[in-house]
């Protein structure tokens, strides 16, 4: 079996796939691709015509779009099932993934994490107005997710699902901001869920850290 995951080390969406691969115990090779680089390799654009990450190649079968990749990995490989069989729980999983993509990613990651964590880490000032807008929008998203989260161990019930990995990769960045962490703390279900999720071995082993600063 030859399985290659193409993507950027610090990408939320690459980490989502890495989390799922780790949970399923699937060995793979990583191929670093920086979607923010000046020149996107032509060979990568043949895998992903839109030049985003990640892309997966399994024995010559190429696939892009994170949701398609994670569902494929769950179906194609042995290991614990990461999608509920109950139709309502499965629908809730799909809903939470959709909310994370459509409403959570931008404020949690691109506004709060980037401007409150990454830019100061890299030695530049974050945009305070952008950060504050992100925090306001994040509060609305977290309220919605708090209402959707099951009163169980994981977001969709007693068993972990793709929804946990999808949102978990975003919250892992967001919670590095003290302001972001404070917003999580006042939402009981999400707060307990996050403490449980971040201690999971897959979350620990896939942590990409922060970008390396230039000397």
């Amino acid at each position: 079996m030859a399985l290659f995951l193409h993507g950027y080390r610090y990408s939320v969406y690459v980490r989502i796939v890495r989390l799922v691969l780790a949970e399923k115990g699937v060995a793979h090779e990583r191929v670093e691709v920086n979607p923010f680089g000046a020149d996107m390799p032509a060979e990568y654009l043949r895998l992903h015509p839109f030049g985003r990450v990640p892309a997966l190649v399994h024995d010559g079968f190429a696939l892009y779009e994170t949701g398609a990749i994670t569902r494929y990995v769950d179906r194609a490989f042995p290991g614990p099932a990461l999608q509920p069989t109950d139709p309502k729980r499965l629908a809730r999983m799909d809903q939470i993934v959709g909310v994370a993509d459509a409403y959570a990613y931008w404020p949690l990651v691109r506004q709060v994490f980037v401007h409150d964590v990454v830019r100061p880490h890299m030695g530049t000032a974050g945009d305070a107005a952008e950060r504050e807008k992100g925090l306001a929008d994040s509060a609305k998203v977290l309220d919605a997710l708090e209402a959707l989260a099951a009163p169980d161990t994981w977001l969709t019930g007693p068993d972990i699902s793709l929804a946990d990995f999808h949102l978990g990769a975003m919250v892992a960045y967001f919670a590095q901001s003290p302001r972001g962490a404070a917003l999580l703390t006042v939402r009981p279900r999400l707060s307990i869920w996050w403490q449980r999720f971040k201690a999971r071995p897959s979350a620990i082993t896939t942590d990409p850290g922060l970008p390396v600063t230039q000397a």
Side-chain angles (χ1 to χ4, degrees), residues 57-94:
V57 180
H58 178 214
D59 288 340
F61 174 66
L63 193 62
Y64 61 87
E65 290 303 306
T66 303
I69 293 171
T70 55
R71 286 167 174 80
Y72 172 75
V73 169
D74 189 38
R75 294 164 184 155
F77 295 95
L82 301 179
Q83 298 178 82
T85 56
D86 175 76
K88 291 180 181 178
R89 291 188 187 274
L90 183 60
R92 187 69 79 206
M93 182 197 83
D94 289 337

Side-chain angles (χ1 to χ4, degrees), residues 6-7 11-12 24 29 31 34 52 57 68 88 101 114 123 125-126 129 137 139 144 147 156 160 184 197 199 205 211:
H6 298 251
S11 163
V12 162
K24 299 290 284 190
E29 293 187 41
V31 181
N34 185 353
R52 306 290 287 274
V57 180
K88 291 180 181 178
D101 282 342
V114 168
D137 289 344
T156 61
I160 202 163
L184 278 173
F197 182 85
T205 59

Side-chain angles (χ1 to χ4, degrees), residues 2-48:
L3 192 147
F4 299 89
L5 175 62
H6 298 251
Y8 182 53
R9 173 184 175 88
Y10 303 106
S11 163
V12 162
Y13 287 95
V14 170
R15 189 179 185 189
I16 292 168
V17 177
R18 291 182 64 208
L19 283 162
V20 172
L21 290 167
E23 290 285 333
K24 299 290 284 190
V26 179
H28 63 283
E29 293 187 41
R30 289 188 57 242
V31 181
E32 187 71 10
V33 177
N34 185 353
F36 304 107
D39 297 310
M40 179 65 66
E43 58 269 26
Y44 185 71
L45 290 174
R46 285 192 285 271
L47 294 177
H48 197 319

Side-chain angles (χ1 to χ4, degrees), residues 100-184:
D101 282 342
Y103 309 112
Y105 172 71
W106 192 265
L108 269 66
V109 178
R110 298 300 294 270
Q111 291 179 304
V112 175
F113 173 65
V114 168
H115 292 283
D116 211 23
V117 178
V118 175
R119 288 197 177 182
H121 170 75
M122 300 298 286
T124 61
D127 185 326
E130 193 74 3
R131 181 196 68 211
E132 292 305 311
K133 184 178 186 309
L135 287 166
D137 289 344
S138 295
K140 181 178 180 179
V141 174
L142 294 175
D143 283 342
L145 290 166
E146 178 79 4
L148 291 175
D152 288 295
T153 305
W154 301 106
L155 291 176
T156 61
D159 300 314
I160 202 163
S161 78
L162 298 181
D164 297 286
F165 304 116
H166 216 91
L167 184 62
M170 298 180 190
V171 173
Y173 274 161
F174 178 70
Q176 292 184 48
S177 158
R179 297 171 178 85
L183 288 179
L184 278 173

